[in-house]
Amino acid sequence: MKKQKQKTKYIFVVGGVMSGVGKGITSSSIGKILQMAGYRVSAVKIDPYINVDAGTLNPIEHGETFVLEDGHETDQDMGNYERFLNQSLTRESYITTGSIYQKVIQDERALRYDGKTVSVVPHIPLAVIKQIQKAAKKQDAEIMVVEIGGTVGEYENILFLEAARMMKRKQPDDVLFVLVSYLPIPKNLGEMKTKPTQQAIRTLQESGVFPDIIVARGEKPLDIPRKEKIAQASLLNREDIISAPDISSIYDIPEYFIQEKLDQRILHKLHIRKKRNREAQEEAKKWETFTRSTKKLRDKAHIAIVGKYFSSGDFALTDAYVSVIEALKYAGFTNKAKVILHWFNSRDFETGKQKVNELKKYDGILVPGGFGNTGINGKDMAIRYAREHAIPFLGLCLGMQRAAIEFAKNVCGIENAESDERKIRGSAPIITTMEEQKKLIKEKKLGGSMRLGAYRARLSKGSLARKVYKQDEISERHRHRYELNPEYVPLLKKHGMRVSGWSVEGKLPEIIELDRKLHPFFIATQFHPELQARPLSPHPLFVAFIGESMKRRKNLQKKKEK
Ligand code: GLN
């Protein structure tokens, strides 16, 4: 008799008490430990806002926009999933309230509801379920981790909880709820408090959802009496309450969860067993080798990042640059170096709050992507400093565009060199609007309409780019509306800045670099290499950048010793 195909299992991860306690990392780590148990795992992120995708969100407020291979603009958690699961996700895996309503309304307009009254319940939850199942099918997943954004008790995510509840009713053995909660230790008390978690459990129960496992985040591990209290409140066994204290590296969390037997609890509750197949063993081994490499760092590399998306009230956040940070870390591990990041707000160079020659202390300078007018001159100042002082430089997207402009201005003598994005009248358009973008901008069709996702590029013979990639053709993810104007390419080249990578049809400049006679390592990309950097496959550009930065550091040390 033919064996019946096992139904896909679904693990819904919801958050209690407050946001920002690491629900995304918890979900990714759960995915990882189940991969290590031999299962094909994939993930879905649900964000409860109305925006159809994450492309229109302000990075200061919402952090980085993570672009998938297929060009979908999503939340930074999708980056965590891709990095932990070592897998490229697709647009089906990212859901927002806006995207679901848009789909339901489109279907209604197309008469797909056959004259029925289309209601919030059940039609919205049903559309959510359909989308989750579609994602599972597309990824051929045996287990799907579905993270519901926001915190329980919020009005916004109630329909997603309803979808989860409806799934549980249909497939009680295949659906699991994990509540990620937080246990504060108020300074004046010095004691870990369980009450907010108890309340979160109750709030979740009010929406008809009963947690199967509770991950108790906190500064410290959870002790037995407190586990007992939470178990009491949730009607769970003590072993279903998982202690999840702060740990210095997020990549150690899967192993920590395994020690806490979280994998066993999940598998048990889903009525499945750990597979002892070769894939499982290989997966576990690769991850172990990686986590070990994070602990054997003999050297250091001090990298200055000159960004512009930091402030949120009185707090400086680096959320807008998560993928860049991770990509640098992996490159450090490969080079056996701890990468120490130093953040500069480019505006501070403009106002004089920070002197640009502060940058001389660093081993490498990175200028990441961005939009709009603020802090642009400060970015140019930093790029010029890197160029003139032979400091290893990596420019990403906007960082590449500004590198071309700075060079055109200060080396090629085009005083009015600028980008069309800034709309400065009478400027020389070194960076110009891409042809296919002109109409879109005019008609204000701005959401989801940039040049997005993976495109191939060809690398020029003898270039630094080709040497670094060790390949002549690459595929990288993009997110931009503007491009380096090909008309200026010959002039830049004459002065020592070449285009070392072109889009395969030969039209769009993709990578620029300085002649090695002018600079040891100055390279910048129109695409976002950081989006494809993974723990198990660090990105060659970042690896080379950190390698060069360490060389500079050693040379400087040698000079000092003399
Ligand atoms: N603002 C620039 C553009 O739209 C750069 C985009 C980016 O850095 N992601 O082309």
Side-chain angles (χ1 to χ4, degrees), residues 369-371 397-398 401 421 479-482 528:
F371 296 82
C397 210
L398 178 68
Q401 298 177 352
E421 187 178 6
R479 183 172 187 246
H480 63 117
R481 230 181 264 290
Y482 299 87
H528 290 273

Side-chain angles (χ1 to χ4, degrees), residues 204-460:
L204 187 60
Q205 287 169 344
E206 270 167 31
S207 48
V209 171
F210 295 82
D212 298 292
I213 285 169
I214 296 175
V215 174
R217 288 275 302 113
E219 237 175 84
K220 300 247 171 69
L222 192 65
D223 59 9
I224 304 273
R226 286 175 180 78
K227 266 196 185 178
E228 186 57 34
K229 271 193 188 172
I230 300 172
Q232 279 280 0
S234 56
L235 294 181
L236 291 171
N237 290 326
R238 217 192 276 159
E239 65 257 39
D240 297 327
I241 316 300
I242 307 292
S243 160
D246 292 347
I247 348 193
S248 58
S249 164
I250 53 171
Y251 299 108
D252 289 335
I253 294 174
E255 278 166 26
Y256 187 88
F257 279 169
I258 291 174
Q259 276 169 33
E260 283 282 304
K261 302 197 169 55
L262 177 57
D263 51 345
Q264 290 181 23
R265 293 314 297 155
I266 292 178
L267 294 173
H268 171 75
K269 293 197 168 205
L270 286 174
H271 314 283
I272 46 179
R273 271 179 212 194
K274 189 168 171 161
K275 293 188 194 173
R276 305 213 180 264
N277 55 16
R278 214 186 57 220
E279 285 91 338
Q281 281 163 5
E282 272 173 17
E283 201 52 55
K285 198 153 187 195
K286 273 193 261 168
W287 191 257
E288 199 192 309
T289 313
F290 162 70
T291 49
R292 229 186 294 131
S293 78
T294 67
K295 293 176 183 98
K296 283 193 204 147
L297 310 178
R298 291 188 249 110
D299 281 315
K300 283 191 189 118
H302 287 271
I303 303 297
I305 302 189
V306 185
K308 58 185 245 169
Y309 301 124
F310 292 121
S311 48
S312 167
D314 289 338
F315 301 94
L317 302 171
T318 52
D319 251 24
Y321 304 109
V322 192
S323 294
V324 175
I325 300 173
E326 297 311 301
L328 285 168
K329 272 195 215 164
Y330 311 149
F333 302 150
T334 311
N335 282 293
K336 297 196 169 44
K338 185 174 169 56
V339 174
I340 301 158
L341 301 176
H342 302 266
W343 295 94
F344 288 87
N345 188 334
S346 57
R347 247 173 309 165
D348 293 343
F349 292 138
E350 295 170 8
T351 58
K353 191 171 160 196
Q354 190 88 247
K355 287 220 168 66
V356 75
N357 68 9
E358 280 275 308
L359 292 173
K360 81 165 158 277
K361 292 199 272 225
Y362 301 100
D363 307 325
I365 297 174
L366 186 148
V367 176
F371 296 82
N373 263 314
T374 40
I376 293 294
N377 297 337
K379 289 202 177 224
D380 292 1
M381 289 160 83
I383 293 168
R384 182 174 192 171
Y385 196 86
R387 180 177 58 76
E388 291 183 341
H389 295 80
I391 304 176
F393 171 79
L394 182 59
L396 309 174
C397 210
L398 178 68
M400 175 265 202
Q401 298 177 352
R402 297 317 305 180
I405 291 167
E406 187 280 319
F407 193 78
K409 203 182 267 182
N410 300 319
V411 179
C412 309
I414 307 179
E415 264 166 47
N416 57 346
E418 251 313 332
S419 164
D420 281 346
E421 187 178 6
R422 299 190 75 184
K423 301 186 177 59
I424 299 172
R425 231 184 249 190
S427 58
I430 307 297
I431 301 297
T432 187
T433 319
M434 280 185 286
E435 206 42 55
E436 71 264 27
Q437 288 292 332
K438 288 184 181 148
K439 201 159 160 255
L440 295 167
I441 297 177
K442 213 165 162 197
E443 292 170 1
K444 283 226 171 282
K445 290 192 175 143
L446 298 176
S449 68
M450 280 184 254
R451 181 170 181 250
L452 292 167
Y455 286 93
R456 285 179 302 132
R458 215 160 269 147
L459 305 180
S460 318

Side-chain angles (χ1 to χ4, degrees), residues 174-205:
D174 305 324
V175 175
L176 202 75
F177 294 111
V178 176
L179 172 67
V180 182
S181 191
Y182 189 75
L183 289 98
I185 309 177
K187 274 236 165 65
N188 56 337
L189 301 177
E191 182 200 346
M192 191 178 241
K193 303 303 282 179
T194 62
K195 196 52 67 60
T197 296
Q198 295 187 41
Q199 272 159 358
I201 295 165
R202 210 151 298 153
T203 313
L204 187 60
Q205 287 169 344

